């Protein structure tokens, strides 16, 4: 099976930073200063989730205004959202799960993508389709580090970005696993800090998250 798997896209989203901030933007005007704070703190890969009406405008604003950021779209659920996200400037795509139609659309988009999995069978199905990099979601509820560790032996080609229930305290345990490239989380974006537009605090929290690489 090893020889049948194509090389992963380069550079990989999983290798840009130890943490990919998962961002929910309610006001597109906040997108650029928020992204600048994250990048300044050492977290260039930014996943803007498609959970709000402002999400696509936020992706577009970051793509245009913060070129040093690698902005992506998260919670991608349909081929229509794939097209809209890439048109807005998304440089990678993340889904909480996948179907054949969604996978085909993400593959055809031309940008890196992380389809979501939570079971061994889903991982095997993606490997069969030549996909080696995946989102493991919801990480804590689906078995956490113990589950991912158990996948490393039989499925060594699969690499993961676990997301869901991960915080600054648990992230190092995930990052220590050989099949984890990075983790996704939002702990560096506390609701009250973002509401106050305290971008200096966001930068400080981002810098602390970026330093988790040293503990891997």
């Amino acid at each position: 099976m090893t020889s049948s798997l194509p090389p992963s896209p380069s550079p990989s989203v999983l290798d840009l930073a130890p943490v990919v901030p998962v961002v929910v933007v309610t006001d597109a005007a906040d997108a650029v200063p928020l992204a600048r704070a994250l990048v300044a703190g050492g977290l260039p890969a930014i996943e803007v989730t498609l959970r709000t009406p402002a999400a696509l405008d936020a992706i577009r604003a970051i793509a245009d205004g913060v070129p040093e950021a690698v902005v992506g779209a998260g919670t991608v659920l349909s081929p229509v959202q794939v097209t809209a996200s890439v048109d807005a400037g998304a440089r990678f795509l993340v889904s909480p799960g996948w179907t054949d139609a969604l996978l085909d659309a993400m593959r055809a988009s031309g940008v890196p993508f992380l389809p979501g999995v939570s079971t061994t069978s889903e991982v095997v199905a993606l490997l069969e389709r030549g996909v080696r990099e995946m989102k493991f979601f919801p990480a804590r509820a689906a078995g956490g580090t113990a589950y991912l560790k158990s996948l490393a032996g039989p499925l060594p080609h699969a690499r993961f970005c676990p997301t869901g229930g991960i915080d600054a305290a648990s992230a190092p345990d995930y990052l220590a696993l050989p099949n984890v490239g990075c983790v996704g989380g939002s702990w560096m974006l506390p609701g009250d800090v973002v509401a106050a537009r305290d971008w200096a605090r966001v930068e400080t929290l981002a810098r602390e998250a970026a330093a988790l690489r040293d503990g891997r």
Side-chain angles (χ1 to χ4, degrees), residues 77-168:
L77 302 177
S78 70
V80 170
Q81 289 184 326
V82 168
T83 300
S85 298
V86 174
D87 286 348
R91 294 171 60 185
F92 66 93
L93 305 168
V94 184
S95 65
W98 64 278
T99 64
D100 285 332
L102 179 58
L103 187 66
D104 288 345
M106 290 193 293
R107 193 192 300 274
S109 72
V111 302
F113 55 93
L114 299 173
V117 297
S118 60
T119 69
T120 305
S121 294
E122 290 170 326
V123 176
V124 172
L126 285 178
L127 289 173
E128 187 178 78
R129 289 161 173 80
V131 178
R132 294 190 296 177
E133 298 186 345
M134 313 166 195
K135 172 178 178 173
F136 181 62
F137 177 83
R140 184 172 64 182
T145 55
Y147 194 95
L148 284 169
K149 185 176 181 180
S150 71
L151 294 180
L155 301 172
H157 301 298
R159 296 181 72 216
F160 301 95
C161 174
T163 306
I166 299 176
D167 55 21

